[in-house]
Amino acid sequence: MAEVEESEKRKRKLEEEPDSRSIKCRRRDSPVENDDKTANKYGDGSTLHREIEYEEVPKKKTHAEDVAAHYNKLEEVGLEQRSMSRIFYLRNFNNWIKSVLIGEFLDKVRQRKQNITVLDLGCGKGGDLLKWRKGRISKLVCTDIAGVSVQQCEQRFQDMKNRGRQNDRFFSAEFITADSTKELLSERYKDNNMHFDICSCQFVYHYSFETYEQADMMLKNACEQLSPGGYFIGTTPDSYELIKRLESSETNSFGNEIYNVKFQKKGDYPLFGCKYDFHLEEVVDVPEFLVYFPLLEDMAKKYKMKLVYKKTFWEFYEEKVKNIEHKMLLQQMMALEKYPADEGSRLVSHVKEDYEHAEILKKDGKAKLPFGTMSKAEWEATSLYLIFAFEKL
């Protein structure tokens, strides 16, 4: 509560302070008669009116604007180019995680109803559209802070529809560019009374923990319009893992060749606004905020949400890979790298130590060759995240 009160004080202080933005303007000084110290005069005694032009000082971008600008700049690339990426398998693995998570909770909802409505909160360029299509949903609302990404998402949706057969059952969709940490989304829906069965928030919620107000607004957008029995599902960095690695580091940062996390300092981790810089090769290079999960769980109660599932990515993988369908999907999505590599092929990492764990498994003879894995660097990066699911009571 002290954190919330402090946030409210800061908010009131900002409202009371004058606007610090500079405006480009011209000021004409008032003439002062017969005062040679303050006025310049021509020989006829007329006063020279001085014009002073103030240069506009660029307004400092907010964190939200930085995030939007970063994701707007990310270019769409084809499969061939993606397959050459150092993090090709890592990205596919994370995509598999999302696919299994989304599929399982769609199945839970479908046990009680057929027409499913979904809110994709932080939809990006539409990377999950195919998942929603395969999930046979009826209605989708896609929203993101990055306007260019939302446009690309909508275009991808239209292209998907155009490629489909004429009699294919296809869900309807609407697309909204908005800052979900500051704007109430229900006011932007075509149907203000629309309710959802699932809200999916993938790799996004941590951006809201800049302040209590923003984190609460994001939760409100995610949960307030959920129907009873509906789910708020998502993926987010694991604060415990982040702090553990930071405290084990000799500096204020940690990482490897594909990811890096840098905190401003150790030992001081406020509940809101605990910013760190996160870099993931080719994908992410923006500040994020630490999400203290017990606090998120407590805040969600305000919207009648109960935590029903929480696992780290590694725990989720170990649990779900035992299912034959999930294991087959893992192979279809090329979510793991073949080890040893085929003759004439090479592994994504040239560092020998990156596959020490695979060599141990190979020498033990317990795994049938070849088997699927990722480089040590990729496992370290993906194990920073966790999965969560809340149910509306």
Side-chain angles (χ1 to χ4, degrees):
M1 286 303 295
E3 188 72 29
V4 176
E5 290 174 1
E6 182 63 28
S7 179
E8 287 291 340
K9 288 179 182 178
R10 289 197 298 269
K11 183 179 177 183
R12 286 195 296 271
K13 184 179 179 183
L14 287 172
E15 289 172 347
E16 291 166 1
E17 290 176 350
D19 193 344
S20 60
R21 291 172 294 178
S22 296
I23 302 172
K24 195 170 185 178
C25 62
R26 290 182 182 273
R27 188 187 76 192
R28 185 176 295 276
D29 284 359
S30 300
V32 181
E33 291 186 5
N34 301 321
D35 188 348
D36 291 334
K37 293 181 181 178
T38 55
N40 295 318
K41 293 186 179 181
Y42 288 112
D44 60 0
S46 62
T47 303
L48 174 64
H49 293 208
R50 293 173 297 163
E51 288 190 344
I52 303 173
E53 183 172 320
Y54 291 90
E55 291 298 322
E56 182 177 8
V57 179
K59 179 187 173 185
K60 186 178 179 181
K61 281 187 176 181
T62 64
H63 177 259
E65 289 171 333
D66 285 337
V67 172
H70 169 73
Y71 285 106
N72 278 332
K73 287 178 183 176
L74 288 181
E75 296 181 2
E76 282 283 287
V77 296
L79 178 60
E80 184 177 352
Q81 189 173 341
R82 286 201 305 273
S83 66
M84 298 171 64
S85 167
R86 172 64 182 87
I87 60 169
F88 175 71
Y89 295 103
L90 170 65
R91 296 184 72 174
N92 289 350
F93 181 82
N94 289 349
N95 203 24
W96 174 81
I97 292 276
K98 291 193 297 177
S99 294
V100 175
L101 174 67
I102 287 171
E104 290 203 347
F105 279 89
L106 282 174
D107 287 344
K108 288 178 183 294
V109 174
R110 188 164 285 108
Q111 290 175 8
R112 57 184 175 80
K113 63 181 299 187
Q114 292 301 310
N115 294 324
I116 299 175
T117 303
V118 172
L119 172 62
D120 194 335
L121 190 60
C123 63
K125 302 179 190 299
D128 293 336
L129 285 173
L130 188 58
K131 301 177 184 63
W132 302 127
R133 185 182 179 186
K134 289 182 176 179
R136 306 188 311 281
I137 69 170
S138 300
K139 170 76 177 179
L140 176 68
V141 175
C142 291
T143 180
D144 199 281
I145 193 174
V148 174
S149 296
V150 174
Q151 291 172 11
Q152 292 174 334
C153 179
E154 185 169 7
Q155 185 59 55
R156 182 180 285 187
F157 172 75
Q158 293 300 332
D159 292 343
M160 190 184 294
K161 282 185 70 175
N162 294 337
R163 288 195 301 268
R165 296 192 184 97
Q166 191 171 3
N167 296 327
D168 278 356
R169 180 177 178 266
F170 222 93
F171 58 86
S172 61
E174 59 184 274
F175 304 86
I176 301 169
T177 299
D179 183 349
S180 298
T181 73
K182 296 179 180 178
E183 302 174 52
L184 189 60
L185 292 179
S186 59
E187 296 177 351
R188 302 280 301 277
Y189 301 149
K190 292 177 182 177
D191 176 6
N192 292 344
N193 295 317
M194 179 163 46
H195 282 74
F196 301 98
D197 301 295
I198 287 178
C199 171
S200 175
C201 187
Q202 308 298 334
F203 301 100
V204 170
Y205 189 75
H206 47 282
Y207 293 121
S208 75
F209 254 62
E210 183 173 5
T211 66
Y212 167 80
E213 292 81 5
Q214 287 174 267
D216 181 63
M217 178 59 80
M218 190 77 145
L219 263 181
K220 186 173 186 176
N221 283 321
C223 305
E224 192 171 54
Q225 300 296 108
L226 279 175
S227 300
Y231 295 100
F232 171 37
I233 62 174
T235 47
T236 194
D238 183 352
S239 60
Y240 287 110
E241 188 64 30
L242 287 168
I243 298 303
K244 185 178 80 172
R245 296 189 193 186
L246 174 64
E247 293 294 342
S248 299
S249 172
E250 296 180 355
T251 67
N252 291 345
S253 65
F254 59 88
N256 56 40
E257 63 178 287
I258 63 172
Y259 89 94
N260 181 266
V261 177
K262 183 178 181 181
F263 280 78
Q264 295 173 338
K265 58 182 177 179
K266 289 184 180 182
D268 183 20
Y269 312 115
L271 296 179
F272 299 99
C274 187
K275 186 164 72 171
Y276 58 90
D277 294 314
F278 182 72
H279 169 80
L280 178 62
E281 188 77 14
E282 305 168 13
V283 183
V284 183
D285 196 10
V286 289
E288 299 179 351
F289 296 97
L290 202 67
V291 177
Y292 181 50
F293 205 88
L295 176 59
L296 170 60
E297 186 178 355
D298 191 60
M299 290 174 65
K301 294 175 183 176
K302 177 180 176 180
Y303 300 101
K304 300 180 181 179
M305 303 299 296
K306 177 185 177 182
L307 182 67
V308 293
Y309 192 86
K310 177 173 168 280
K311 298 274 187 181
T312 65
F313 272 25
W314 177 253
E315 291 168 339
F316 187 81
Y317 164 71
E318 285 197 311
E319 176 186 307
K320 302 305 177 184
V321 77
K322 296 171 184 176
N323 179 295
I324 187 62
E325 290 185 10
H326 297 334
K327 192 171 184 178
M328 288 176 61
L329 183 63
L330 196 70
Q331 296 171 349
Q332 292 168 8
M333 296 180 72
M334 293 186 286
L336 293 177
E337 184 177 22
K338 185 185 288 187
Y339 190 89
D342 291 333
E343 188 175 344
S345 299
R346 63 179 180 82
L347 299 167
V348 295
S349 174
H350 301 292
V351 181
K352 185 178 180 181
E353 289 75 21
D354 251 336
Y355 296 96
E356 286 180 342
H357 59 289
E359 273 298 307
I360 292 172
L361 193 60
K362 176 184 172 184
K363 290 175 181 178
D364 283 348
K366 295 178 182 179
K368 182 180 178 182
L369 298 179
F371 56 85
T373 188
M374 285 194 293
S375 66
K376 180 182 177 184
E378 288 171 294
W379 281 121
E380 286 181 359
T382 197
S383 60
L384 282 173
Y385 294 91
L386 59 79
I387 286 163
F388 64 82
F390 291 87
E391 183 178 4
K392 185 71 171 277
L393 300 177

